[in-house]
């Protein structure tokens, strides 16, 4: 089904009339956007039906990707691109009297995620579909996604993100496929005809209603679905209470159910044992496993071959309850023996770990399980008991038993549950997977080494290069003679042949310059800042977390500022530092660092000495659609986490693809970037992971402070005040703890920035490095990563 402009126009006009009762003259931009979305949705719905029929006919193994987060961003442009209808769509919008840019711009981001983990899930859906793997994503249909950030008086303020008001155009509710999820109550067992029957009673039911979002692939008719569960009470409002005038009480039980899908938890890399979060996890897991097993039975009539036809990938431990939930369905509902059920479960569930930070590891209080999920709790105890017996038998070592236990000291350790119940455990970069094998999960790895794998992350290069950087896309096509890299990203390597072609290097630089101007214009409209397009655009955008070390970047900027104070006539390449970051609302230190960045931005902006030479900008509300504007305009990518702490990073890959050069530590996927780029094409600095781990044991930041006058002076400024605000709290934190070794890496970081600035002055060298970065970024395509999952973990075929 392809559309020409006229057909597109007709379809849009029909949607406007039928759904909004208006003509194109009367429609608002929002209605126009929704009408366009509905037209594309129809095309995908038709393809979706065919894809499902084909998959059922062929009996292929299906991939189910479970994640509490899918950071989809906008879909109109993406879907039009994948369906090959961008031009007719733009023309239709134009001819109907609208500006295409306005219509694309009005679409809200579907911000159903915090950061890396959620965006990765979104990129993988694109590749799963493009590679024609039968797959579904599953998550919660949060009413409110990641909060909108405003900066008021330099501080973060969180506002609700009501994305559905327009974003629901992509959702297809399927109330007839609703599932019931049970909470609380009591469990009884009784014998029935020689079978032990489990009876769960007096529970509360929450209805899970699927809202499906179709996912189009690139250059294929294959369509997959992202199934988002909406929580609703099955009970009508209590009319008895209502008549008695107890209006609030009458709706109470309904409100308790609704709250489950109300809001995304904005904590990233930080675990909090909140019961609502556990309810969200079980709600989404239970609905999903019921839905998958129901569909399997419809096709095969039995669950005994479930593991042959399904694989369940869990994105970090958040969906770990699939393991006991699948066991519950297999044992209680389908009547399989424990051993049969365990065989099935441990041959279809796979777990990806995304963080090694201790404070991010989920460990739920046992009493929450007992109250909220009594039957699941029983099953968990049995799983834990059998696992413990195996561990004891293997090691005869109480210390190892304690470390590997699933239930320990009143807590349920979800990572250990995933290791016990999964067929594979993988990290997301070479270094991270090594740390899992040799450190975090060392004993489990000794017991079952073949379970532990690595799949280095990748990003959707069609979105993160071709779509957001049309200038660069054009150049790549010209130089390589085709757009073949869109489906074979390793073809980008051919760009290396032009490393000595000064005309090409010039073109590359002109594209960057033009992207910088476009971004500067956008930033002026968006938040009224005036960027100097001749300055280096030096960018750090990501969630705000101490381990990511935005503060190290700040310390270096203060150092530059002080140099300028000392020598106002200093020769300096104009340098603009751009930050974008959301802090978890309860993470006080992260919020203080945001305030510090804003204070510094203010003080520098007010200082005439800095004019046109040094600038700091905090971009408000960093999100997927902002990244799409900013990354093509960036020249320097800051990836400066303490080595060993960033599992992979995916922003680093997006910057590389767009020709930005990395200033970074040997952490996460920077290690693999370094492997393909060499020392000469990036600015590496700082401690290595093993050095950092060793240093942490004896670290004394105060000593470094006392020894280094330059560092001391930088830190003093925090204490005396930035733009009139004292940051003594941060100063003390660095002197007393400095958990993430900022002071240890500070001199090396300054030196790396200096090398970077010097290189920037040699534009030919810089542009050549930039070209090499683009050329070697092909391995960071999500297509490659998903193909590796397909081969090494899922054992499913894919389109080559
Ligand atoms: C329970 C609270 C919580 C919430 C989110 C704990 C942990 C998380 C995520 C696992 C954190 C996360 O997003 N990790 C990031 O995953 C990316 C995709 O693999 C990696 O590229 C990042 O390095 C990693 O920080």
């Amino acid at each position: 089904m392809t559309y020409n402009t006229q057909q597109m126009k007709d379809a849009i006009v029909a949607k406007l009339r039928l759904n909004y009762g208006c003509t194109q003259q009367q429609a608002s931009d929002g209605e126009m956007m929704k009408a366009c979305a509905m037209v594309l949705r129809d095309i995908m719905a038709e393809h979706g039906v065919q894809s499902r029929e084909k998959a059922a006919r062929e009996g292929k193994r299906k991939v189910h990707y479970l994640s509490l987060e899918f950071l989809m961003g906008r879909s109109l442009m993406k879907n039009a691109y994948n369906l090959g209808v961008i031009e007719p769509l733009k023309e239709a919008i134009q001819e109907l009297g609208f500006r295409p840019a306005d219509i694309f711009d009005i679409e809200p981001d579907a911000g159903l995620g915090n950061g890396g983990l959620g965006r990765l899930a979104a990129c993988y859906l694109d590749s799963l579909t493009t590679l024609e793997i039968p797959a579904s994503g599953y998550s919660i249909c949060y009413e409110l996604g990641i909060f909108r950030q405003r900066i008021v008086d330099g501080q973060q303020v969180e506002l609700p993100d009501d994305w559905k008001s327009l974003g629901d155009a992509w959702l297809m509710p399927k109330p007839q496929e609703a599932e019931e999820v049970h909470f609380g109550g009591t469990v009884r067992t009784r014998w029935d005809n020689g079978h032990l029957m489990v009876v769960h009673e007096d529970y509360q039911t929450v209805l899970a209603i699927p809202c499906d979002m179709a996912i189009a692939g690139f250059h294929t008719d294959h369509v997959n679905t992202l199934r988002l569960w909406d929580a609703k009470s099955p009970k009508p409002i209590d009319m008895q209470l209502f008549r008695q005038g107890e209006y609030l009480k009458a709706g109470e039980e309904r409100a308790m159910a609704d709250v489950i899908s109300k809001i995304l938890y904005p904590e990233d890399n930080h675990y909090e044992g909140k019961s609502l979060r556990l309810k969200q996890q079980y709600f989404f897991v239970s609905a999903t496993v019921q839905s998958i097993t129901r569909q399997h039975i419809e096709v095969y009539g039995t669950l005994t071959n479930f593991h042959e036809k399904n694989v369940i990938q869990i994105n970090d431990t958040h969906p770990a309850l699939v393991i006991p939930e699948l066991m519950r369905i297999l044992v209680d509902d389908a009547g399989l023996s424990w051993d049969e059920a365990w065989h099935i479960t441990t041959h279809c569930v796979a777990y990806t770990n995304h963080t090694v930070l201790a404070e991010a590891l989920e460990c739920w209080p046992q009493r929450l399980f007992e109250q909220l999920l009594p039957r699941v709790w029983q099953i968990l105890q049995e799983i834990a008991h059998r696992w413990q017996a195996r561990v004891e038998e293997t090691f005869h070592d109480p210390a190892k038993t304690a470390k590997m236990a699933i239930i320990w000291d009143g807590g349920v350790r979800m990572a250990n549950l995933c290791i016990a119940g999964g067929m594979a455990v993988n990290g997301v970069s070479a270094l991270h997977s090594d740390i899992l094998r040799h450190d975090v999960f060392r004993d489990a790895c000794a017991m079952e080494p073949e379970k532990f794998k690595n799949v280095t992350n990748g990003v959707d290069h069609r979105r993160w290069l071709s779509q957001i950087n049309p200038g660069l896309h054009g150049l790549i096509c010209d130089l390589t003679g085709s757009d073949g890299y869109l489906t074979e990203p390793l073809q980008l390597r051919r760009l290396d042949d032009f490393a000595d072609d000064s005309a090409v290097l010039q073109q590359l630089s002109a594209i960057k310059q033009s992207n910088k101007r476009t971004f500067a214009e956008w930033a002026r409209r968006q938040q009224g800042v005036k960027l100097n397009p001749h300055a280096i655009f030096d960018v750090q955008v990501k969630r705000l977390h101490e381990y990511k070390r935005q503060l190290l970047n700040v310390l270096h900027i203060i150092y530059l500022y002080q140099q300028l104070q000392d020598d106002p006539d200093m020769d300096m390449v104009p340098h603009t530092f751009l930050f974008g970051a959301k802090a978890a609302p309860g993470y006080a230190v992260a919020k203080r660092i945001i305030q510090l960045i804003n204070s510094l931005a203010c003080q520098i902006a007010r200082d005439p000495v800095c004019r046109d030479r040094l600038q700091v900008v905090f971009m408000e509300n960093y999100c997927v659609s902002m990244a799409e504007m900013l990354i093509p305009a960036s020249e320097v990518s800051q990836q400066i986490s303490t080595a060993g702490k960033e599992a992979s990073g995916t922003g680093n890959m997006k910057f590389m693809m767009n020709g930005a050069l990395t200033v970074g530590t040997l952490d996460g996927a920077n290690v693999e970037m370094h492997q393909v780029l060499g020392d000469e094409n990036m600015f590496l600095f700082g401690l290595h992971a093993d050095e950092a781990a060793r240093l942490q044991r004896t670290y004394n930041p105060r000593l470094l402070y006392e020894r280094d006058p330059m560092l001391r002076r930088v830190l003093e400024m925090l204490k005396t005040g930035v733009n009139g605000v004292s940051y003594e709290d941060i100063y003390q934190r660095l002197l007393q703890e400095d958990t993430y070794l900022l002071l240890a890496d500070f001199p090396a970081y300054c030196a790396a920035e200096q090398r970077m600035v010097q290189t920037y002055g040699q534009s030919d060298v810089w542009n050549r490095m930039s070209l090499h970065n683009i050329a070697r970024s092909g391995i960071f395509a999500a297509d490659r990563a998903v193909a590796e999952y397909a081969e090494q973990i899922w054992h499913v075929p894919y389109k080559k």
Side-chain angles (χ1 to χ4, degrees):
M1 211 188 332
T2 61
Y3 274 55
N4 61 31
T5 304
Q6 188 57 47
Q7 290 164 321
M8 191 63 87
K9 267 166 70 179
D10 293 345
I12 294 170
V13 169
K15 289 291 179 199
L16 285 172
R17 299 178 86 91
L18 283 170
N19 291 279
Y20 304 110
C22 69
T23 64
Q24 68 260 38
Q25 287 83 11
Q26 296 161 329
S28 65
D29 281 1
E31 286 163 336
M32 187 63 189
M33 179 261 138
K34 284 195 172 200
C36 293
M38 287 176 201
V39 171
L40 301 195
R41 208 182 70 182
D42 284 354
I43 304 177
M44 293 187 289
E46 179 56 32
H47 290 178
V49 171
Q50 287 164 18
S51 298
R52 275 190 296 278
E53 283 172 358
K54 184 161 176 265
R57 258 198 323 274
E58 293 175 353
K60 277 196 198 152
R61 194 180 202 194
K62 189 172 169 189
V63 176
H64 307 276
Y65 197 95
L66 272 64
S67 176
L68 250 82
E69 305 186 13
F70 279 88
L71 194 43
M72 301 297 284
R74 290 175 175 157
S75 291
L76 186 55
M77 184 73 99
K78 178 74 204 175
N79 286 333
Y81 180 90
N82 276 359
L83 294 169
V85 296
I86 287 227
E87 284 316 312
L89 179 66
K90 280 189 184 164
E91 282 168 17
I93 294 171
Q94 184 87 45
E95 290 178 21
L96 290 172
F98 292 78
R99 284 191 38 199
D102 294 344
I103 301 307
F104 290 117
D105 238 31
I106 203 167
E107 181 180 4
D109 280 22
L112 310 185
N114 277 288
L117 164 118
R119 183 54 232 176
L120 187 80
C123 286
Y124 283 3
L125 281 185
D126 184 90
S127 289
L128 279 162
T129 314
T130 300
L131 298 186
E132 298 183 354
I133 297 173
S136 289
Y138 301 87
S139 192
I140 292 174
C141 196
Y142 303 106
E143 205 173 303
L144 305 172
I146 185 68
F147 63 84
R148 274 199 312 128
Q149 179 192 56
R150 287 217 45 206
I151 301 297
V152 179
D153 294 332
Q155 284 170 280
Q156 168 174 298
V157 174
E158 300 91 20
L159 300 175
D161 162 54
D162 176 24
W163 72 284
K164 270 198 194 174
S165 63
L166 290 176
D168 67 346
W170 297 110
L171 300 176
M172 184 96 82
K174 299 262 178 73
Q176 70 284 8
E177 293 177 45
E179 301 287 350
E180 275 192 13
V181 180
H182 298 164
F183 290 98
T186 49
V187 177
R188 243 180 347 102
T189 45
R190 69 179 162 80
W191 287 97
D192 185 61
N193 250 340
H195 285 283
L196 186 66
M197 303 295 286
V198 176
V199 188
H200 187 186
E201 299 167 313
D202 302 326
Y203 48 76
Q204 283 192 356
T205 299
V206 176
L207 265 190
I209 301 172
C211 292
D212 288 354
M213 195 187 278
I215 307 293
F218 178 69
H219 273 190
T220 169
D221 285 345
H222 187 73
V223 164
N224 285 320
T225 350
L226 170 58
R227 174 156 278 198
L228 301 172
W229 297 100
D230 192 10
K232 281 277 166 285
S233 167
K235 290 203 183 153
I237 193 158
D238 187 332
M239 288 313 283
Q240 181 82 26
L241 282 173
F242 190 80
R243 276 191 293 271
Q244 291 162 4
E246 304 247 30
Y247 304 119
L248 286 180
K249 224 174 176 179
E252 218 166 61
E253 205 178 326
R254 288 169 60 82
M256 293 241 297
D258 291 357
V259 78
I260 292 180
S261 56
K262 193 51 113 195
I263 186 161
L264 166 82
Y265 270 88
E267 268 85 42
D268 181 83
N269 261 309
H270 186 85
Y271 164 72
E272 274 192 324
K274 291 271 163 62
S275 81
L276 179 58
R277 166 98 175 171
L278 185 63
K279 280 188 196 161
Q280 288 187 332
Q281 294 185 350
Y282 183 68
F283 163 76
F284 132 78
V285 158
S286 177
T288 300
V289 179
Q290 291 184 66
S291 164
I292 301 172
T293 48
R294 188 184 308 285
Q295 285 170 31
H296 181 88
I297 290 173
E298 273 167 23
V299 179
Y300 299 97
T302 170
L303 286 177
T304 52
N305 65 341
F306 181 80
H307 54 302
E308 289 161 15
K309 299 297 179 186
N310 297 280
V311 45
I312 298 177
Q313 184 68 42
I314 58 179
N315 207 18
D316 214 89
T317 58
H318 318 151
L321 291 174
V322 288
I323 292 164
E325 180 66 2
L326 181 56
M327 288 297 289
R328 185 186 68 77
I329 288 172
L330 294 172
V331 173
D332 294 358
D333 298 353
L336 301 191
S337 72
W338 181 276
D339 290 336
E340 284 171 305
W342 189 245
H343 179 84
I344 292 171
T345 302
T346 52
H347 285 80
C348 71
V349 176
Y351 156 56
T352 306
N353 173 286
H354 296 266
T355 179
V356 297
L357 298 189
E359 67 268 28
L361 299 182
E362 292 187 292
C363 179
W364 290 99
Q366 168 176 337
R367 53 158 184 85
L368 269 186
F369 272 98
E370 290 165 343
Q371 289 163 13
L372 221 50
L373 309 170
R375 179 56 185 153
V376 167
W377 171 242
Q378 290 179 337
I379 293 171
L380 266 175
Q381 283 176 293
E382 184 65 25
I383 293 174
H385 182 77
R386 290 176 183 233
W387 175 249
Q388 184 151 332
R390 253 193 80 191
V391 172
E392 274 164 6
E393 204 175 284
T394 310
F395 296 112
H396 308 285
D397 178 348
K400 291 200 162 84
T401 303
K403 244 182 79 191
M404 291 174 69
I406 295 172
I407 301 172
W408 194 259
D409 207 14
V412 185
R413 297 167 175 166
M414 304 309 263
N416 288 353
L417 171 64
C418 291
I419 293 171
M423 59 175 179
V425 177
N426 77 285
V428 290
S429 72
L431 174 66
H432 170 61
S433 296
D434 275 348
I435 293 174
L436 292 184
R437 276 188 281 245
H438 300 126
D439 183 9
V440 186
F441 300 145
R442 187 174 60 211
D443 302 323
C445 184
M447 199 160 102
E448 301 179 291
E450 62 299 331
K451 247 192 204 179
F452 289 79
K453 320 221 157 143
N454 174 61
V455 180
T456 299
N457 282 169
V459 301
D460 172 4
H461 73 295
R462 289 172 289 273
R463 181 188 282 260
W464 293 107
L465 194 176
S466 328
Q467 280 191 264
I468 66 173
N469 199 340
L472 182 55
H473 168 74
L475 180 62
I476 296 168
C477 294
D478 284 351
L479 297 178
T480 62
S482 81
D483 63 3
Y485 84 98
L486 292 174
T487 48
E488 286 178 46
L490 292 177
Q491 285 190 17
L492 286 169
R493 261 278 174 173
R494 297 189 193 159
L495 296 179
D496 270 345
D497 297 346
F498 300 89
D500 296 316
D501 187 328
S502 60
V504 167
L505 299 181
Q506 274 303 316
Q507 280 175 285
L508 198 58
S509 154
I511 291 164
K512 186 62 80 182
Q513 198 54 39
S514 151
N515 292 341
K516 285 171 73 178
R517 285 181 191 281
T518 309
F519 178 75
E521 178 52 31
W522 182 83
R524 195 186 55 74
R525 266 183 288 135
Q526 200 73 16
Q527 63 181 63
V529 289
K530 198 167 174 304
L531 299 175
N532 172 7
H534 301 294
I536 308 178
F537 279 16
D538 189 333
V539 183
Q540 188 171 21
V541 286
K542 47 183 81 251
R543 282 300 287 252
L544 210 135
H545 203 292
E546 285 166 284
Y547 85 84
K548 295 179 187 281
R549 301 202 293 190
Q550 282 93 351
L551 190 51
L552 181 58
N553 193 342
V554 168
L555 296 182
H556 169 253
I557 298 169
I558 292 178
Y559 162 70
L560 286 183
Y561 176 72
Q562 291 175 336
Q563 278 194 314
L564 264 179
Q565 297 300 308
D566 294 348
D567 179 6
D569 298 322
M570 184 174 94
D571 198 20
M572 174 175 175
V573 182
H575 205 152
T576 292
F577 293 90
L578 292 146
F579 290 86
K582 288 179 181 173
Y587 189 176
V589 178
K591 287 183 142 180
R592 280 289 279 169
I593 294 172
I594 289 182
Q595 193 185 359
L596 169 58
I597 297 169
N598 281 294
S599 293
L600 187 60
C602 254
Q603 174 157 352
I604 288 177
R606 284 194 295 107
D607 192 332
V609 171
C610 299
R611 174 154 325 133
D612 290 332
R613 298 204 282 175
L614 182 60
Q615 185 180 28
V616 176
V617 174
F618 188 92
M619 295 297 301
E620 190 175 70
N621 197 40
Y622 178 62
C623 57
V624 172
S625 52
M626 185 190 292
E628 292 173 352
M629 295 297 300
L630 177 53
I631 292 174
S634 300
E635 294 171 297
V636 177
S637 158
Q638 295 283 341
Q639 307 299 338
I640 59 177
S641 51
T642 314
K645 300 297 176 191
E646 188 69 271
S648 162
T650 43
N652 47 0
M653 303 170 184
K654 295 165 196 166
F655 282 100
M656 181 188 185
M657 282 179 182
N658 284 276
L661 305 190
T662 301
V663 173
T665 47
L666 268 178
D667 198 15
N670 297 356
V671 174
E672 281 112 310
M673 286 172 52
H674 177 241
Q675 267 169 16
V676 293
L677 290 171
D679 285 339
E680 63 280 17
N681 288 304
M682 60 195 297
F683 303 98
L684 276 187
F685 73 94
L687 296 164
H688 295 188
D690 51 342
E691 296 166 336
R694 224 173 309 122
L695 177 60
Q696 242 152 4
R697 289 183 224 134
T698 60
Y699 189 51
N700 184 353
R702 195 175 292 273
L703 227 59
L704 297 175
Y705 168 86
E706 278 158 7
R707 262 192 229 146
D708 182 346
M710 193 181 89
L711 178 59
R712 208 157 55 227
R713 183 170 172 211
V714 167
L715 293 178
E716 292 302 333
M717 181 164 164
L718 294 179
K719 196 160 71 169
T720 39
V722 183
N723 201 39
V725 184
S726 166
Y727 290 92
E728 177 150 12
D729 50 342
I730 296 181
Y731 167 88
Q732 291 296 350
R733 209 175 164 80
L734 286 175
L735 274 191
Q736 287 164 18
E737 293 149 72
D738 190 19
T739 316
Y740 294 105
L741 311 175
L742 278 70
L743 304 200
D745 271 342
F746 179 70
Y749 179 54
C750 292
E753 276 279 315
Q754 202 170 16
R755 275 184 281 136
M756 181 278 286
V757 171
Q758 262 164 18
T759 312
Y760 193 80
Q762 306 162 259
S763 56
D764 257 16
V765 178
W766 184 276
N767 294 329
R768 183 175 305 119
M769 288 170 74
S770 176
L771 183 85
H772 287 314
N773 270 263
I774 302 162
R776 319 240 174 118
S777 67
I779 57 160
F780 297 115
D783 290 352
R784 185 272 312 149
V786 166
E788 286 182 16
Y789 276 98
E791 266 171 28
Q792 295 168 34
I793 296 178
W794 303 332
H795 307 294
V796 300
Y798 60 92
K799 179 169 144 192
K800 295 231 166 61

